Amino acid sequence: MDDFTSRPRWLPGINVFDWYDEGYEIIEELRAHFPDVHVKPEFAQYVFSVNERRESAGLSPISLPNEPKPGHISISDVLHPKGLE
């Protein structure tokens, strides 16, 4: 890849879940060495969708604007929460 924002192209035989688990081990080591720094696991987006990550964190899944789904919240409400102005 030419940048750090492109989705990786997985080679045959690569277990993306092992890659994800190893990434979290690295994150934990970084957090232990740098307790005053907020280390974000941005790599998770390459394995799990936004909704999978939100549900794992105990948050409601997101639906696109004008495509309401039962149990989901609109992406508009996430990006522009009411009452915070």
Side-chain angles (χ1 to χ4, degrees), residues 1-46:
M1 296 295 136
D2 292 332
D3 58 57
F4 291 106
T5 59
S6 297
R7 191 174 191 87
R9 292 186 191 130
W10 303 107
L11 295 174
I14 296 291
N15 184 324
V16 297
F17 301 108
D18 287 345
W19 181 85
Y20 177 85
D21 290 342
E22 186 174 335
Y24 258 102
E25 289 175 14
I26 294 168
I27 291 290
E28 291 304 318
E29 288 179 29
L30 288 169
R31 288 176 175 165
H33 287 305
F34 305 102
D36 296 331
V37 176
H38 179 71
V39 182
K40 293 172 55 174
E42 293 292 324
F43 63 89
Q45 66 186 328
Y46 300 123

mmCIF file of all heavy atoms in Angstrom, residues 1-46:
data_model
loop_
_atom_site.group_PDB
_atom_site.id
_atom_site.type_symbol
_atom_site.label_atom_id
_atom_site.label_comp_id
_atom_site.label_asym_id
_atom_site.label_seq_id
_atom_site.Cartn_x
_atom_site.Cartn_y
_atom_site.Cartn_z
ATOM 1 N N MET A 1 0.836 -1.191 0.000
ATOM 2 C CA MET A 1 0.000 0.000 0.000
ATOM 3 C C MET A 1 0.882 1.256 0.000
ATOM 4 O O MET A 1 1.982 1.226 0.533
ATOM 5 C CB MET A 1 -0.896 0.016 1.231
ATOM 6 C CG MET A 1 -1.918 -1.119 1.307
ATOM 7 S SD MET A 1 -3.089 -0.998 -0.015
ATOM 8 C CE MET A 1 -3.177 -2.688 -0.517
ATOM 9 N N ASP A 2 0.338 2.308 -0.543
ATOM 10 C CA ASP A 2 1.074 3.568 -0.591
ATOM 11 C C ASP A 2 0.773 4.469 0.598
ATOM 12 O O ASP A 2 1.395 5.502 0.750
ATOM 13 C CB ASP A 2 0.729 4.324 -1.879
ATOM 14 C CG ASP A 2 1.254 3.608 -3.111
ATOM 15 O OD1 ASP A 2 2.261 2.892 -2.992
ATOM 16 O OD2 ASP A 2 0.645 3.756 -4.175
ATOM 17 N N ASP A 3 -0.177 4.092 1.422
ATOM 18 C CA ASP A 3 -0.528 4.934 2.554
ATOM 19 C C ASP A 3 -1.038 4.061 3.700
ATOM 20 O O ASP A 3 -1.148 2.843 3.570
ATOM 21 C CB ASP A 3 -1.583 5.969 2.151
ATOM 22 C CG ASP A 3 -2.848 5.315 1.617
ATOM 23 O OD1 ASP A 3 -3.446 4.495 2.330
ATOM 24 O OD2 ASP A 3 -3.253 5.645 0.487
ATOM 25 N N PHE A 4 -1.340 4.688 4.814
ATOM 26 C CA PHE A 4 -1.800 3.952 5.988
ATOM 27 C C PHE A 4 -3.314 3.952 6.121
ATOM 28 O O PHE A 4 -3.841 3.488 7.118
ATOM 29 C CB PHE A 4 -1.171 4.536 7.252
ATOM 30 C CG PHE A 4 0.301 4.266 7.328
ATOM 31 C CD1 PHE A 4 1.215 5.273 7.088
ATOM 32 C CD2 PHE A 4 0.775 3.006 7.627
ATOM 33 C CE1 PHE A 4 2.572 5.023 7.152
ATOM 34 C CE2 PHE A 4 2.133 2.749 7.695
ATOM 35 C CZ PHE A 4 3.039 3.763 7.458
ATOM 36 N N THR A 5 -4.036 4.473 5.138
ATOM 37 C CA THR A 5 -5.493 4.522 5.234
ATOM 38 C C THR A 5 -6.179 3.508 4.340
ATOM 39 O O THR A 5 -7.374 3.302 4.460
ATOM 40 C CB THR A 5 -6.015 5.934 4.879
ATOM 41 O OG1 THR A 5 -5.610 6.254 3.556
ATOM 42 C CG2 THR A 5 -5.491 6.973 5.850
ATOM 43 N N SER A 6 -5.441 2.859 3.451
ATOM 44 C CA SER A 6 -6.039 1.873 2.556
ATOM 45 C C SER A 6 -6.244 0.546 3.285
ATOM 46 O O SER A 6 -5.467 0.178 4.158
ATOM 47 C CB SER A 6 -5.141 1.634 1.341
ATOM 48 O OG SER A 6 -5.005 2.808 0.591
ATOM 49 N N ARG A 7 -7.283 -0.148 2.894
ATOM 50 C CA ARG A 7 -7.554 -1.463 3.460
ATOM 51 C C ARG A 7 -6.470 -2.431 2.976
ATOM 52 O O ARG A 7 -6.126 -2.446 1.800
ATOM 53 C CB ARG A 7 -8.932 -1.922 3.013
ATOM 54 C CG ARG A 7 -9.457 -3.124 3.722
ATOM 55 C CD ARG A 7 -10.899 -3.372 3.264
ATOM 56 N NE ARG A 7 -11.530 -4.341 4.093
ATOM 57 C CZ ARG A 7 -12.159 -4.083 5.232
ATOM 58 N NH1 ARG A 7 -12.240 -2.858 5.659
ATOM 59 N NH2 ARG A 7 -12.715 -5.037 5.931
ATOM 60 N N PRO A 8 -5.904 -3.248 3.863
ATOM 61 C CA PRO A 8 -4.861 -4.179 3.425
ATOM 62 C C PRO A 8 -5.395 -5.224 2.453
ATOM 63 O O PRO A 8 -6.577 -5.559 2.488
ATOM 64 C CB PRO A 8 -4.418 -4.861 4.723
ATOM 65 C CG PRO A 8 -5.124 -4.208 5.828
ATOM 66 C CD PRO A 8 -6.186 -3.341 5.274
ATOM 67 N N ARG A 9 -4.531 -5.723 1.630
ATOM 68 C CA ARG A 9 -4.863 -6.862 0.766
ATOM 69 C C ARG A 9 -4.277 -8.085 1.444
ATOM 70 O O ARG A 9 -3.067 -8.243 1.520
ATOM 71 C CB ARG A 9 -4.265 -6.670 -0.620
ATOM 72 C CG ARG A 9 -4.914 -5.533 -1.362
ATOM 73 C CD ARG A 9 -4.380 -5.469 -2.798
ATOM 74 N NE ARG A 9 -4.819 -4.236 -3.388
ATOM 75 C CZ ARG A 9 -4.025 -3.381 -4.020
ATOM 76 N NH1 ARG A 9 -2.761 -3.653 -4.161
ATOM 77 N NH2 ARG A 9 -4.513 -2.272 -4.516
ATOM 78 N N TRP A 10 -5.144 -8.926 1.969
ATOM 79 C CA TRP A 10 -4.696 -10.081 2.739
ATOM 80 C C TRP A 10 -4.167 -11.163 1.806
ATOM 81 O O TRP A 10 -4.790 -11.516 0.817
ATOM 82 C CB TRP A 10 -5.852 -10.629 3.573
ATOM 83 C CG TRP A 10 -6.432 -9.613 4.491
ATOM 84 C CD1 TRP A 10 -7.626 -8.982 4.353
ATOM 85 C CD2 TRP A 10 -5.832 -9.085 5.675
ATOM 86 N NE1 TRP A 10 -7.810 -8.102 5.384
ATOM 87 C CE2 TRP A 10 -6.737 -8.137 6.205
ATOM 88 C CE3 TRP A 10 -4.650 -9.311 6.344
ATOM 89 C CZ2 TRP A 10 -6.477 -7.428 7.375
ATOM 90 C CZ3 TRP A 10 -4.385 -8.599 7.503
ATOM 91 C CH2 TRP A 10 -5.294 -7.681 8.006
ATOM 92 N N LEU A 11 -3.020 -11.698 2.149
ATOM 93 C CA LEU A 11 -2.460 -12.819 1.404
ATOM 94 C C LEU A 11 -3.245 -14.085 1.746
ATOM 95 O O LEU A 11 -3.778 -14.206 2.854
ATOM 96 C CB LEU A 11 -0.993 -13.017 1.770
ATOM 97 C CG LEU A 11 -0.039 -11.884 1.395
ATOM 98 C CD1 LEU A 11 1.356 -12.158 1.953
ATOM 99 C CD2 LEU A 11 0.021 -11.735 -0.120
ATOM 100 N N PRO A 12 -3.314 -15.030 0.824
ATOM 101 C CA PRO A 12 -3.997 -16.286 1.132
ATOM 102 C C PRO A 12 -3.367 -16.939 2.368
ATOM 103 O O PRO A 12 -2.151 -16.954 2.527
ATOM 104 C CB PRO A 12 -3.757 -17.143 -0.117
ATOM 105 C CG PRO A 12 -3.467 -16.168 -1.207
ATOM 106 C CD PRO A 12 -2.784 -15.004 -0.544
ATOM 107 N N GLY A 13 -4.211 -17.444 3.237
ATOM 108 C CA GLY A 13 -3.736 -18.125 4.440
ATOM 109 C C GLY A 13 -3.565 -17.223 5.646
ATOM 110 O O GLY A 13 -3.318 -17.711 6.745
ATOM 111 N N ILE A 14 -3.675 -15.909 5.471
ATOM 112 C CA ILE A 14 -3.550 -14.988 6.602
ATOM 113 C C ILE A 14 -4.831 -15.056 7.435
ATOM 114 O O ILE A 14 -5.930 -14.959 6.905
ATOM 115 C CB ILE A 14 -3.320 -13.534 6.133
ATOM 116 C CG1 ILE A 14 -1.988 -13.413 5.404
ATOM 117 C CG2 ILE A 14 -3.417 -12.553 7.281
ATOM 118 C CD1 ILE A 14 -0.776 -13.580 6.272
ATOM 119 N N ASN A 15 -4.672 -15.212 8.723
ATOM 120 C CA ASN A 15 -5.821 -15.200 9.626
ATOM 121 C C ASN A 15 -5.969 -13.775 10.154
ATOM 122 O O ASN A 15 -5.187 -13.340 11.005
ATOM 123 C CB ASN A 15 -5.612 -16.190 10.770
ATOM 124 C CG ASN A 15 -6.820 -16.270 11.679
ATOM 125 O OD1 ASN A 15 -7.504 -15.279 11.931
ATOM 126 N ND2 ASN A 15 -7.083 -17.457 12.183
ATOM 127 N N VAL A 16 -6.949 -13.046 9.646
ATOM 128 C CA VAL A 16 -7.100 -11.638 10.017
ATOM 129 C C VAL A 16 -7.437 -11.470 11.495
ATOM 130 O O VAL A 16 -7.124 -10.444 12.092
ATOM 131 C CB VAL A 16 -8.139 -10.916 9.137
ATOM 132 C CG1 VAL A 16 -7.691 -10.901 7.689
ATOM 133 C CG2 VAL A 16 -9.512 -11.518 9.265
ATOM 134 N N PHE A 17 -8.055 -12.477 12.096
ATOM 135 C CA PHE A 17 -8.390 -12.377 13.513
ATOM 136 C C PHE A 17 -7.145 -12.505 14.386
ATOM 137 O O PHE A 17 -7.020 -11.843 15.408
ATOM 138 C CB PHE A 17 -9.467 -13.393 13.887
ATOM 139 C CG PHE A 17 -10.723 -13.190 13.090
ATOM 140 C CD1 PHE A 17 -11.088 -14.076 12.100
ATOM 141 C CD2 PHE A 17 -11.526 -12.072 13.307
ATOM 142 C CE1 PHE A 17 -12.237 -13.877 11.349
ATOM 143 C CE2 PHE A 17 -12.673 -11.852 12.563
ATOM 144 C CZ PHE A 17 -13.026 -12.756 11.586
ATOM 145 N N ASP A 18 -6.186 -13.342 13.962
ATOM 146 C CA ASP A 18 -4.910 -13.413 14.672
ATOM 147 C C ASP A 18 -4.166 -12.084 14.546
ATOM 148 O O ASP A 18 -3.551 -11.601 15.500
ATOM 149 C CB ASP A 18 -4.030 -14.544 14.121
ATOM 150 C CG ASP A 18 -4.524 -15.923 14.523
ATOM 151 O OD1 ASP A 18 -5.367 -16.022 15.449
ATOM 152 O OD2 ASP A 18 -4.072 -16.906 13.903
ATOM 153 N N TRP A 19 -4.211 -11.487 13.349
ATOM 154 C CA TRP A 19 -3.587 -10.184 13.104
ATOM 155 C C TRP A 19 -4.200 -9.140 14.036
ATOM 156 O O TRP A 19 -3.496 -8.336 14.644
ATOM 157 C CB TRP A 19 -3.787 -9.821 11.635
ATOM 158 C CG TRP A 19 -3.201 -8.530 11.187
ATOM 159 C CD1 TRP A 19 -1.925 -8.303 10.776
ATOM 160 C CD2 TRP A 19 -3.883 -7.272 11.084
ATOM 161 N NE1 TRP A 19 -1.773 -6.985 10.415
ATOM 162 C CE2 TRP A 19 -2.964 -6.332 10.602
ATOM 163 C CE3 TRP A 19 -5.189 -6.853 11.346
ATOM 164 C CZ2 TRP A 19 -3.290 -5.003 10.374
ATOM 165 C CZ3 TRP A 19 -5.511 -5.520 11.119
ATOM 166 C CH2 TRP A 19 -4.573 -4.622 10.640
ATOM 167 N N TYR A 20 -5.517 -9.171 14.162
ATOM 168 C CA TYR A 20 -6.241 -8.251 15.037
ATOM 169 C C TYR A 20 -5.822 -8.453 16.494
ATOM 170 O O TYR A 20 -5.529 -7.499 17.204
ATOM 171 C CB TYR A 20 -7.743 -8.489 14.862
ATOM 172 C CG TYR A 20 -8.636 -7.670 15.741
ATOM 173 C CD1 TYR A 20 -9.010 -6.388 15.371
ATOM 174 C CD2 TYR A 20 -9.129 -8.184 16.938
ATOM 175 C CE1 TYR A 20 -9.850 -5.640 16.169
ATOM 176 C CE2 TYR A 20 -9.966 -7.437 17.741
ATOM 177 C CZ TYR A 20 -10.330 -6.168 17.355
ATOM 178 O OH TYR A 20 -11.143 -5.418 18.146
ATOM 179 N N ASP A 21 -5.788 -9.712 16.938
ATOM 180 C CA ASP A 21 -5.390 -10.009 18.326
ATOM 181 C C ASP A 21 -3.963 -9.547 18.605
ATOM 182 O O ASP A 21 -3.682 -8.978 19.668
ATOM 183 C CB ASP A 21 -5.513 -11.504 18.615
ATOM 184 C CG ASP A 21 -6.960 -11.982 18.662
ATOM 185 O OD1 ASP A 21 -7.878 -11.148 18.814
ATOM 186 O OD2 ASP A 21 -7.163 -13.209 18.537
ATOM 187 N N GLU A 22 -3.067 -9.767 17.654
ATOM 188 C CA GLU A 22 -1.688 -9.316 17.841
ATOM 189 C C GLU A 22 -1.616 -7.788 17.895
ATOM 190 O O GLU A 22 -0.850 -7.223 18.674
ATOM 191 C CB GLU A 22 -0.805 -9.837 16.705
ATOM 192 C CG GLU A 22 0.654 -9.532 16.906
ATOM 193 C CD GLU A 22 1.549 -10.166 15.860
ATOM 194 O OE1 GLU A 22 1.157 -11.193 15.277
ATOM 195 O OE2 GLU A 22 2.644 -9.618 15.635
ATOM 196 N N GLY A 23 -2.443 -7.131 17.088
ATOM 197 C CA GLY A 23 -2.501 -5.667 17.133
ATOM 198 C C GLY A 23 -2.904 -5.171 18.517
ATOM 199 O O GLY A 23 -2.331 -4.208 19.039
ATOM 200 N N TYR A 24 -3.869 -5.838 19.136
ATOM 201 C CA TYR A 24 -4.282 -5.424 20.476
ATOM 202 C C TYR A 24 -3.207 -5.703 21.516
ATOM 203 O O TYR A 24 -3.074 -4.957 22.489
ATOM 204 C CB TYR A 24 -5.620 -6.057 20.872
ATOM 205 C CG TYR A 24 -6.734 -5.048 20.710
ATOM 206 C CD1 TYR A 24 -7.576 -5.084 19.617
ATOM 207 C CD2 TYR A 24 -6.899 -4.018 21.625
ATOM 208 C CE1 TYR A 24 -8.565 -4.135 19.445
ATOM 209 C CE2 TYR A 24 -7.881 -3.064 21.464
ATOM 210 C CZ TYR A 24 -8.719 -3.133 20.373
ATOM 211 O OH TYR A 24 -9.683 -2.186 20.207
ATOM 212 N N GLU A 25 -2.418 -6.755 21.314
ATOM 213 C CA GLU A 25 -1.297 -6.999 22.225
ATOM 214 C C GLU A 25 -0.291 -5.846 22.139
ATOM 215 O O GLU A 25 0.222 -5.384 23.159
ATOM 216 C CB GLU A 25 -0.619 -8.327 21.885
ATOM 217 C CG GLU A 25 -1.459 -9.538 22.235
ATOM 218 C CD GLU A 25 -0.828 -10.851 21.773
ATOM 219 O OE1 GLU A 25 0.375 -10.855 21.425
ATOM 220 O OE2 GLU A 25 -1.552 -11.866 21.755
ATOM 221 N N ILE A 26 -0.036 -5.382 20.920
ATOM 222 C CA ILE A 26 0.872 -4.247 20.726
ATOM 223 C C ILE A 26 0.296 -2.990 21.367
ATOM 224 O O ILE A 26 1.012 -2.231 22.038
ATOM 225 C CB ILE A 26 1.157 -4.037 19.222
ATOM 226 C CG1 ILE A 26 1.936 -5.229 18.668
ATOM 227 C CG2 ILE A 26 1.899 -2.727 18.980
ATOM 228 C CD1 ILE A 26 2.024 -5.273 17.156
ATOM 229 N N ILE A 27 -1.010 -2.769 21.195
ATOM 230 C CA ILE A 27 -1.667 -1.604 21.799
ATOM 231 C C ILE A 27 -1.503 -1.630 23.316
ATOM 232 O O ILE A 27 -1.185 -0.613 23.944
ATOM 233 C CB ILE A 27 -3.164 -1.560 21.421
ATOM 234 C CG1 ILE A 27 -3.347 -1.257 19.934
ATOM 235 C CG2 ILE A 27 -3.947 -0.571 22.283
ATOM 236 C CD1 ILE A 27 -2.984 0.147 19.530
ATOM 237 N N GLU A 28 -1.726 -2.793 23.932
ATOM 238 C CA GLU A 28 -1.599 -2.910 25.388
ATOM 239 C C GLU A 28 -0.176 -2.616 25.848
ATOM 240 O O GLU A 28 0.024 -1.956 26.871
ATOM 241 C CB GLU A 28 -2.059 -4.297 25.853
ATOM 242 C CG GLU A 28 -3.544 -4.524 25.705
ATOM 243 C CD GLU A 28 -4.392 -3.476 26.420
ATOM 244 O OE1 GLU A 28 -4.052 -3.084 27.559
ATOM 245 O OE2 GLU A 28 -5.389 -3.027 25.827
ATOM 246 N N GLU A 29 0.817 -3.090 25.090
ATOM 247 C CA GLU A 29 2.213 -2.793 25.436
ATOM 248 C C GLU A 29 2.493 -1.296 25.332
ATOM 249 O O GLU A 29 3.150 -0.721 26.208
ATOM 250 C CB GLU A 29 3.159 -3.565 24.524
ATOM 251 C CG GLU A 29 3.200 -5.053 24.795
ATOM 252 C CD GLU A 29 4.138 -5.787 23.852
ATOM 253 O OE1 GLU A 29 5.137 -5.181 23.388
ATOM 254 O OE2 GLU A 29 3.869 -6.965 23.579
ATOM 255 N N LEU A 30 2.003 -0.667 24.267
ATOM 256 C CA LEU A 30 2.201 0.778 24.107
ATOM 257 C C LEU A 30 1.530 1.551 25.240
ATOM 258 O O LEU A 30 2.100 2.495 25.786
ATOM 259 C CB LEU A 30 1.665 1.247 22.755
ATOM 260 C CG LEU A 30 2.481 0.829 21.538
ATOM 261 C CD1 LEU A 30 1.705 1.131 20.256
ATOM 262 C CD2 LEU A 30 3.831 1.532 21.543
ATOM 263 N N ARG A 31 0.326 1.156 25.606
ATOM 264 C CA ARG A 31 -0.386 1.825 26.697
ATOM 265 C C ARG A 31 0.351 1.666 28.017
ATOM 266 O O ARG A 31 0.374 2.583 28.833
ATOM 267 C CB ARG A 31 -1.812 1.293 26.798
ATOM 268 C CG ARG A 31 -2.696 1.770 25.666
ATOM 269 C CD ARG A 31 -4.069 1.162 25.726
ATOM 270 N NE ARG A 31 -4.931 1.733 24.689
ATOM 271 C CZ ARG A 31 -6.080 1.205 24.317
ATOM 272 N NH1 ARG A 31 -6.532 0.088 24.886
ATOM 273 N NH2 ARG A 31 -6.795 1.774 23.369
ATOM 274 N N ALA A 32 0.953 0.489 28.234
ATOM 275 C CA ALA A 32 1.713 0.261 29.469
ATOM 276 C C ALA A 32 2.971 1.133 29.508
ATOM 277 O O ALA A 32 3.330 1.668 30.558
ATOM 278 C CB ALA A 32 2.083 -1.213 29.589
ATOM 279 N N HIS A 33 3.641 1.285 28.363
ATOM 280 C CA HIS A 33 4.865 2.086 28.296
ATOM 281 C C HIS A 33 4.597 3.586 28.281
ATOM 282 O O HIS A 33 5.446 4.373 28.709
ATOM 283 C CB HIS A 33 5.694 1.719 27.058
ATOM 284 C CG HIS A 33 6.368 0.395 27.157
ATOM 285 N ND1 HIS A 33 7.209 0.030 28.186
ATOM 286 C CD2 HIS A 33 6.308 -0.689 26.337
ATOM 287 C CE1 HIS A 33 7.648 -1.195 28.001
ATOM 288 N NE2 HIS A 33 7.103 -1.662 26.877
ATOM 289 N N PHE A 34 3.422 3.980 27.783
ATOM 290 C CA PHE A 34 3.080 5.399 27.662
ATOM 291 C C PHE A 34 1.711 5.656 28.287
ATOM 292 O O PHE A 34 0.738 5.935 27.579
ATOM 293 C CB PHE A 34 3.073 5.826 26.183
ATOM 294 C CG PHE A 34 4.356 5.539 25.465
ATOM 295 C CD1 PHE A 34 4.471 4.449 24.616
ATOM 296 C CD2 PHE A 34 5.466 6.352 25.652
ATOM 297 C CE1 PHE A 34 5.658 4.170 23.948
ATOM 298 C CE2 PHE A 34 6.657 6.092 25.001
ATOM 299 C CZ PHE A 34 6.759 4.991 24.145
ATOM 300 N N PRO A 35 1.606 5.579 29.618
ATOM 301 C CA PRO A 35 0.296 5.686 30.271
ATOM 302 C C PRO A 35 -0.401 7.036 30.079
ATOM 303 O O PRO A 35 -1.621 7.110 30.198
ATOM 304 C CB PRO A 35 0.606 5.418 31.744
ATOM 305 C CG PRO A 35 2.062 5.689 31.895
ATOM 306 C CD PRO A 35 2.686 5.399 30.572
ATOM 307 N N ASP A 36 0.333 8.072 29.782
ATOM 308 C CA ASP A 36 -0.275 9.394 29.602
ATOM 309 C C ASP A 36 -0.688 9.674 28.160
ATOM 310 O O ASP A 36 -1.182 10.755 27.854
ATOM 311 C CB ASP A 36 0.684 10.492 30.073
ATOM 312 C CG ASP A 36 0.967 10.401 31.562
ATOM 313 O OD1 ASP A 36 0.084 9.919 32.307
ATOM 314 O OD2 ASP A 36 2.074 10.788 31.977
ATOM 315 N N VAL A 37 -0.497 8.697 27.277
ATOM 316 C CA VAL A 37 -0.823 8.867 25.862
ATOM 317 C C VAL A 37 -2.043 8.013 25.539
ATOM 318 O O VAL A 37 -2.142 6.863 25.956
ATOM 319 C CB VAL A 37 0.362 8.442 24.971
ATOM 320 C CG1 VAL A 37 -0.006 8.520 23.501
ATOM 321 C CG2 VAL A 37 1.591 9.288 25.278
ATOM 322 N N HIS A 38 -2.984 8.582 24.788
ATOM 323 C CA HIS A 38 -4.169 7.838 24.348
ATOM 324 C C HIS A 38 -3.805 7.100 23.054
ATOM 325 O O HIS A 38 -3.639 7.711 22.009
ATOM 326 C CB HIS A 38 -5.344 8.783 24.127
ATOM 327 C CG HIS A 38 -6.579 8.097 23.650
ATOM 328 N ND1 HIS A 38 -7.325 7.283 24.458
ATOM 329 C CD2 HIS A 38 -7.180 8.083 22.445
ATOM 330 C CE1 HIS A 38 -8.340 6.802 23.775
ATOM 331 N NE2 HIS A 38 -8.271 7.280 22.539
ATOM 332 N N VAL A 39 -3.644 5.782 23.148
ATOM 333 C CA VAL A 39 -3.282 4.965 21.989
ATOM 334 C C VAL A 39 -4.562 4.371 21.425
ATOM 335 O O VAL A 39 -5.267 3.631 22.107
ATOM 336 C CB VAL A 39 -2.289 3.846 22.383
ATOM 337 C CG1 VAL A 39 -1.888 3.051 21.154
ATOM 338 C CG2 VAL A 39 -1.070 4.427 23.078
ATOM 339 N N LYS A 40 -4.867 4.720 20.187
ATOM 340 C CA LYS A 40 -6.112 4.275 19.554
ATOM 341 C C LYS A 40 -5.859 3.084 18.641
ATOM 342 O O LYS A 40 -4.930 3.103 17.843
ATOM 343 C CB LYS A 40 -6.716 5.420 18.742
ATOM 344 C CG LYS A 40 -7.191 6.575 19.601
ATOM 345 C CD LYS A 40 -7.598 7.779 18.797
ATOM 346 C CE LYS A 40 -8.638 7.481 17.761
ATOM 347 N NZ LYS A 40 -9.127 8.667 17.077
ATOM 348 N N PRO A 41 -6.714 2.050 18.719
ATOM 349 C CA PRO A 41 -6.565 0.880 17.861
ATOM 350 C C PRO A 41 -7.222 1.084 16.497
ATOM 351 O O PRO A 41 -8.187 0.425 16.143
ATOM 352 C CB PRO A 41 -7.259 -0.220 18.666
ATOM 353 C CG PRO A 41 -8.319 0.513 19.432
ATOM 354 C CD PRO A 41 -7.733 1.860 19.741
ATOM 355 N N GLU A 42 -6.691 1.991 15.704
ATOM 356 C CA GLU A 42 -7.282 2.310 14.401
ATOM 357 C C GLU A 42 -7.261 1.121 13.447
ATOM 358 O O GLU A 42 -8.037 1.074 12.501
ATOM 359 C CB GLU A 42 -6.554 3.498 13.769
ATOM 360 C CG GLU A 42 -6.766 4.803 14.511
ATOM 361 C CD GLU A 42 -8.193 5.313 14.408
ATOM 362 O OE1 GLU A 42 -8.826 5.145 13.348
ATOM 363 O OE2 GLU A 42 -8.676 5.877 15.393
ATOM 364 N N PHE A 43 -6.385 0.163 13.685
ATOM 365 C CA PHE A 43 -6.277 -0.998 12.803
ATOM 366 C C PHE A 43 -7.537 -1.852 12.808
ATOM 367 O O PHE A 43 -7.772 -2.620 11.874
ATOM 368 C CB PHE A 43 -5.083 -1.868 13.201
ATOM 369 C CG PHE A 43 -5.216 -2.447 14.582
ATOM 370 C CD1 PHE A 43 -5.838 -3.657 14.769
ATOM 371 C CD2 PHE A 43 -4.735 -1.762 15.679
ATOM 372 C CE1 PHE A 43 -5.986 -4.198 16.038
ATOM 373 C CE2 PHE A 43 -4.866 -2.283 16.947
ATOM 374 C CZ PHE A 43 -5.493 -3.509 17.130
ATOM 375 N N ALA A 44 -8.362 -1.740 13.840
ATOM 376 C CA ALA A 44 -9.564 -2.576 13.965
ATOM 377 C C ALA A 44 -10.503 -2.420 12.771
ATOM 378 O O ALA A 44 -11.210 -3.359 12.406
ATOM 379 C CB ALA A 44 -10.299 -2.240 15.255
ATOM 380 N N GLN A 45 -10.479 -1.252 12.137
ATOM 381 C CA GLN A 45 -11.377 -1.004 11.000
ATOM 382 C C GLN A 45 -11.063 -1.897 9.807
ATOM 383 O O GLN A 45 -11.884 -2.052 8.906
ATOM 384 C CB GLN A 45 -11.281 0.452 10.581
ATOM 385 C CG GLN A 45 -9.927 0.839 10.009
ATOM 386 C CD GLN A 45 -9.791 2.302 9.743
ATOM 387 O OE1 GLN A 45 -10.753 2.950 9.415
ATOM 388 N NE2 GLN A 45 -8.583 2.834 9.887
ATOM 389 N N TYR A 46 -9.892 -2.501 9.783
ATOM 390 C CA TYR A 46 -9.535 -3.363 8.670
ATOM 391 C C TYR A 46 -10.067 -4.782 8.829
ATOM 392 O O TYR A 46 -9.989 -5.582 7.908
ATOM 393 C CB TYR A 46 -8.024 -3.405 8.481
ATOM 394 C CG TYR A 46 -7.440 -2.043 8.194
ATOM 395 C CD1 TYR A 46 -6.452 -1.504 9.002
ATOM 396 C CD2 TYR A 46 -7.899 -1.295 7.124
ATOM 397 C CE1 TYR A 46 -5.918 -0.253 8.737
ATOM 398 C CE2 TYR A 46 -7.377 -0.046 6.856
ATOM 399 C CZ TYR A 46 -6.391 0.474 7.665
ATOM 400 O OH TYR A 46 -5.875 1.712 7.399
#
